[in-house]
């Protein structure tokens, strides 16, 4: 430690470094037995920066560990060049001090080398969980595309390990979300905010496996199951997720040390108002089971704004009120604004001839947009994470400025209200004609958006529909999605140009 103090006196530009950097250097001075050539430093390679080269066998987390060590030492990394060949890394870091100058002091350079050598040796002994490499992207480049390969390798190395699940890492993750996601002070946040931060930290871990699972499906192209249901009674996600991931005890201890009780935090989650009873619970159980069995399966439903209803008792009688379950947001869902489909209603069909073929065009009287929201579904004791995609209805024309400017404020937002009604309530009362019409429109909205999404995904990897029945299986939960059968025929014929016989053959398979 005394050596570090004298070093700081010699190098004033390093004296403002934090205590963690001081501790790192102190340890480095005490441990000088390390790899001889794993770390080299040069001030000759670049005019503006000191170039640090790390030459060692590639290991999970090595790139992040080196970057963190440089940051702890108060060095600014202006550029990093990642080069991997035959499982050997030769990474170069172009660094400057806090004054944006080269590091020229010999003692500084010596201590930087020692710290980095210790980091390299420590990572060599650490057992990290390596994420699967993305073969599709690594092999997508030709042998001459050196830049493309380096970019893919660099992107992979930045996140080549999973987020650790030790207590300290979990606490850091929760506090980071308190500070950066929900923008609260990490010194003062209540149980509801603790739930939001905890949920986001668990979701981070789900998304890692979700991305790897979906990437694996794309590369292997297995037969996929699509479970279409008007309702999914999934229950609360937090407790189910940490149990399935095997990290319940670690989260309980992490929260306890932060001053929070897991049971209290879990109780802050609102039940997802996406289902009513047995039908919805059956659908949710199927999703859990398929994820646990590592089956490539997705669920499709509607993202209801108010769900079914919230029951209250007033003077001994039941009263129904909307279930505002989304009032405070849903930390588990991921909005996909880039995944939208146009859903048509009403209108008429026009007929035209093109190259001897009769074509039918649906001229819709009303159109809405279906926007996707993804919800990760983890399996028990498996890295497999499937997906529940829910559709929310939005208008194609959200605001009529002309009507607003003429004083007709109601008409200005009428199309928005009509569209959002489709995904407002589960099972609207159908004792009236309007209620029956709304239920039918909801069913068409669900199946049309879902089938367009499935057909798009299939065509992204196939040039024709010859293998469609071998790659896609549709499960219709109850009678609500059966309107999807004629909708599948319409899409195959009107959108993809197939004939009746071929479309019917595909649909019946």
């Amino acid at each position: 430690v005394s050596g570090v103090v004298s070093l700081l006196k010699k190098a004033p530009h390093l004296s403002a470094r934090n205590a963690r950097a001081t501790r790192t250097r102190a340890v480095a001075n005490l441990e000088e037995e390390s790899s001889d050539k794993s770390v080299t430093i040069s001030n000759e390679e670049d005019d503006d920066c000191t170039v640090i080269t790390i030459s060692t066998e590639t290991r999970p987390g090595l790139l992040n560990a080196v970057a963190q060590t440089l940051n702890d030492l108060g060095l600014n990394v202006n550029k990093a060049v990642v080069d991997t060949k035959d499982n050997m890394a030769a990474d170069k870091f172009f660094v400057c001090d806090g004054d944006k100058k080269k590091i020229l002091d010999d003692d500084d350079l010596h201590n930087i080398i020692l710290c980095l050598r210790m980091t390299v040796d420590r990572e060599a002994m650490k057992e990290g969980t390596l994420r699967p490499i993305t073969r599709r992207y690594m092999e997508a480049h030709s042998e001459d595309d050196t830049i493309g390969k380096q970019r893919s390798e660099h992107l992979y190395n930045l996140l080549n390990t999973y987020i650790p699940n030790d207590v300290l890492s979990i606490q850091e993750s929760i506090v980071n979300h308190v500070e950066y996601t929900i923008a609260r002070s990490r010194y003062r946040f209540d149980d509801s905010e603790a739930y939001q931060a905890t949920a986001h930290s668990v979701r981070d871990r789900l998304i890692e496996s979700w991305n790897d699972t979906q990437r694996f499906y794309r590369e292997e192209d297995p037969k996929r199951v699509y479970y279409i249901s008007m309702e999914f009674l999934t229950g609360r996600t937090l407790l189910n997720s940490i149990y399935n991931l095997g990290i319940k005890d670690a989260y309980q201890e992490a929260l306890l040390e932060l001053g929070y009780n897991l049971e209290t935090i879990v109780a802050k989650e609102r039940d997802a108002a996406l289902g009513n009873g047995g039908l919805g619970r059956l659908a949710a159980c199927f999703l859990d089971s398929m994820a646990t069995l590592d089956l490539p399966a997705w669920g499709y439903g509607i993202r209801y704004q108010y769900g079914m209803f919230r029951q209250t008792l007033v003077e001994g009688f039941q009263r129904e009120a909307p279930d505002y379950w989304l009032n405070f947001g849903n930390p588990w869902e991921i909005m996909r604004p880039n995944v939208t489909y146009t859903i048509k209603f009403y209108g008429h069909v026009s007929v035209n001839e093109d190259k001897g073929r009769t074509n039918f065009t649906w001229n819709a009287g009303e159109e809405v947009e279906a926007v996707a929201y993804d919800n990760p579904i983890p399996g028990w004791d498996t890295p497999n994470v499937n997906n529940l995609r829910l559709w929310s209805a939005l208008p194609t024309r959200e605001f009529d400025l002309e009507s607003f400017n003429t004083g007709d404020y109601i008409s200005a937002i009428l199309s928005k209200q009509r569209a959002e009604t489709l995904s407002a309530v589960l099972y609207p009362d159908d004792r009236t004609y309007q209620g029956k019409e709304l239920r039918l429109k909801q069913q068409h909205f669900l199946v049309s958006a879902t089938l367009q999404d499935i057909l798009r995904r299939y065509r992204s990897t196939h040039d024709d529909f010859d293998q469609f029945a071998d790659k896609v299986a549709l499960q219709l939960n109850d009678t609500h999605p059966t309107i999807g059968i004629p909708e599948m025929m319409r899409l195959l014929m009107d959108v993809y140009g197939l004939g009746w016989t071929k479309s019917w053959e595909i649909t019946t398979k």
Side-chain angles (χ1 to χ4, degrees):
V1 176
S2 60
V4 174
V5 174
S6 60
L7 168 63
L8 295 177
K9 291 179 179 178
K10 292 180 182 179
H13 63 276
L14 295 177
S15 60
R17 307 287 154 75
N18 58 33
R20 185 175 178 182
T22 304
R23 290 196 301 272
T24 304
R25 279 204 209 88
V27 174
N29 278 319
L30 294 175
E31 306 213 11
E32 304 216 4
E33 295 183 3
S34 290
S35 308
D36 290 334
K37 297 181 181 179
S38 59
V39 181
T40 57
I41 295 182
S42 170
N43 276 313
E44 306 298 329
E45 289 189 40
D46 190 85
D47 295 334
D48 302 316
C49 300
T50 297
V51 180
I52 301 174
T53 303
I54 309 293
S55 302
T56 184
E57 184 179 350
T58 57
R59 302 183 186 99
L62 176 62
L63 187 64
N64 286 336
V66 171
Q68 182 62 55
T69 300
L70 294 173
N71 181 66
D72 291 342
L73 291 170
L75 301 176
N76 299 318
V77 181
N78 293 346
K79 183 174 68 171
V81 178
V82 179
D83 186 18
T84 304
K85 186 176 181 180
D86 298 330
N87 205 34
M88 293 297 295
D91 303 335
K92 291 189 176 183
F93 298 85
F94 294 74
V95 303
C96 296
D97 61 18
D99 297 324
K100 299 182 180 181
K101 297 179 180 178
K102 288 185 177 183
I103 296 90
L104 301 175
D105 185 271
D106 290 340
D107 288 336
D108 284 355
L109 294 172
H110 176 68
N111 278 276
I112 290 171
I113 290 175
L114 291 180
C115 289
L116 289 175
R117 283 178 177 172
M118 285 188 60
T119 298
V120 170
D121 291 346
R122 184 182 69 245
E123 292 300 312
M125 295 182 290
K126 184 188 297 184
E127 293 185 4
T129 305
L130 187 65
R131 294 182 68 175
I133 198 163
T134 313
R135 186 182 73 246
R136 177 181 179 185
Y137 296 115
M138 299 298 283
E139 295 180 354
H141 309 289
S142 64
E143 293 185 1
D144 298 330
D145 188 6
T146 305
I147 296 177
K149 286 184 177 180
Q150 288 179 346
R151 178 178 179 274
S152 294
E153 291 174 354
H154 181 58
L155 290 172
Y156 172 73
N157 288 327
L158 286 173
L159 290 174
N160 60 358
T161 56
Y162 290 106
I163 300 174
N165 289 323
D166 59 277
V167 172
L168 180 59
S169 297
I170 290 173
Q171 290 174 338
E172 288 180 349
S173 178
I174 293 173
V175 173
N176 277 338
H177 280 294
V178 169
E179 185 94 358
Y180 303 117
T181 304
I182 62 178
R184 292 290 294 169
S185 169
R186 62 185 181 275
Y187 302 108
R188 185 178 181 182
F189 54 100
D190 60 25
D191 289 339
S192 296
E193 291 157 349
Y195 159 70
Q196 290 283 337
T198 302
H200 277 100
S201 74
V202 176
R203 195 188 77 165
D204 289 345
R205 289 157 171 80
L206 291 177
I207 287 177
E208 284 184 328
S209 296
W210 186 92
N211 278 327
D212 291 341
T213 301
Q214 305 313 313
R215 186 168 57 240
F216 177 79
Y217 291 164
R218 287 193 297 270
E219 292 178 353
E220 298 300 321
D221 192 26
K223 185 172 185 177
R224 301 194 188 208
V225 179
Y226 297 106
Y227 194 93
I228 309 174
S229 177
M230 287 294 289
E231 54 175 305
F232 289 90
L233 192 58
T234 56
R236 295 174 176 174
T237 304
L238 176 56
L239 201 58
N240 179 67
S241 296
I242 58 178
Y243 267 121
N244 282 359
L245 294 174
I247 53 178
K248 186 257 182 182
D249 291 339
Y251 261 85
Q252 188 168 26
E253 183 178 348
L255 285 168
L256 195 61
E257 291 182 4
L258 292 176
Y260 298 89
N261 183 278
L262 178 61
E263 292 185 2
T264 304
I265 299 303
V266 167
K268 292 297 179 180
E269 181 178 359
R270 297 287 295 271
D271 281 84
L274 302 172
N276 177 36
L279 188 69
R281 189 61 204 144
L282 175 69
C285 289
F286 268 127
L287 291 186
D288 283 340
S289 298
M290 288 188 289
T292 299
L293 294 172
D294 296 334
L295 297 177
W298 276 34
Y300 279 98
I302 295 179
R303 180 181 180 265
Y304 299 106
Q305 185 75 23
Y306 304 111
M308 182 96 178
F309 61 83
R310 179 172 56 86
Q311 184 188 62
T312 59
L313 295 176
V314 179
E315 297 179 355
F317 293 93
Q318 174 179 300
R319 293 289 184 269
E320 297 174 1
D323 185 358
Y324 300 104
W325 73 287
L326 288 173
N327 267 13
F328 300 100
N330 178 12
W332 304 103
E333 67 183 9
I334 303 122
M335 184 183 182
R336 304 291 190 188
N338 60 311
V339 182
T340 61
Y341 299 98
T342 300
I343 313 300
K344 299 180 178 182
F345 299 100
Y346 310 115
H348 65 278
V349 176
S350 59
V351 183
N352 58 79
E353 297 286 337
D354 182 26
K355 298 179 181 179
R357 175 188 173 92
T358 302
N359 297 317
F360 299 88
T361 303
W362 183 0
N363 303 289
E366 179 184 329
E367 293 182 348
V368 301
E369 296 292 328
V371 181
Y373 286 78
D374 288 341
N375 299 262
I377 305 295
W380 164 258
D381 195 27
T382 174
N384 194 62
V385 176
N386 285 338
N387 190 48
L388 170 60
R389 174 160 287 181
L390 303 175
W391 300 107
S392 181
L394 292 177
T396 53
R397 185 184 181 190
E398 185 162 334
F399 187 75
D400 187 347
L401 184 60
E402 184 177 346
S403 296
F404 186 86
N405 287 336
T406 58
D408 192 355
Y409 305 129
I410 302 300
S411 297
I413 60 171
L414 189 59
S415 62
K416 175 180 173 67
Q417 291 177 327
R418 286 174 60 87
E420 292 178 350
T421 299
L422 287 171
S423 55
V425 178
L426 168 65
Y427 298 147
D429 194 327
D430 61 353
R431 287 177 292 182
T432 64
Y433 174 82
Q434 291 82 0
K436 290 181 173 65
E437 181 186 39
L438 180 56
R439 281 207 183 191
L440 182 61
K441 290 177 71 175
Q442 281 186 329
Q443 294 167 13
H444 174 69
F445 172 78
L446 168 61
V447 299
S448 181
T450 299
L451 292 176
Q452 289 184 67
D453 194 48
I454 293 171
L455 290 168
R456 174 202 57 80
R457 185 176 300 108
Y458 172 83
R459 284 304 300 270
S460 67
T461 54
H462 299 84
D463 296 328
D464 53 47
F465 285 94
D466 293 343
Q467 291 184 288
F468 188 78
D470 298 322
K471 296 296 182 181
V472 174
L474 299 176
Q475 173 64 37
L476 309 181
N477 191 21
D478 206 19
T479 58
H480 310 116
T482 53
I483 195 175
I485 297 171
E487 177 64 4
M488 172 69 86
M489 291 289 292
R490 184 191 73 81
L491 291 170
L492 291 174
M493 292 189 296
D494 294 355
V495 177
Y496 291 96
L498 274 63
W500 173 277
T501 303
K502 182 65 174 178
S503 299
W504 184 243
E505 178 187 354
I506 293 173
T507 303
T508 53
K509 284 185 178 181

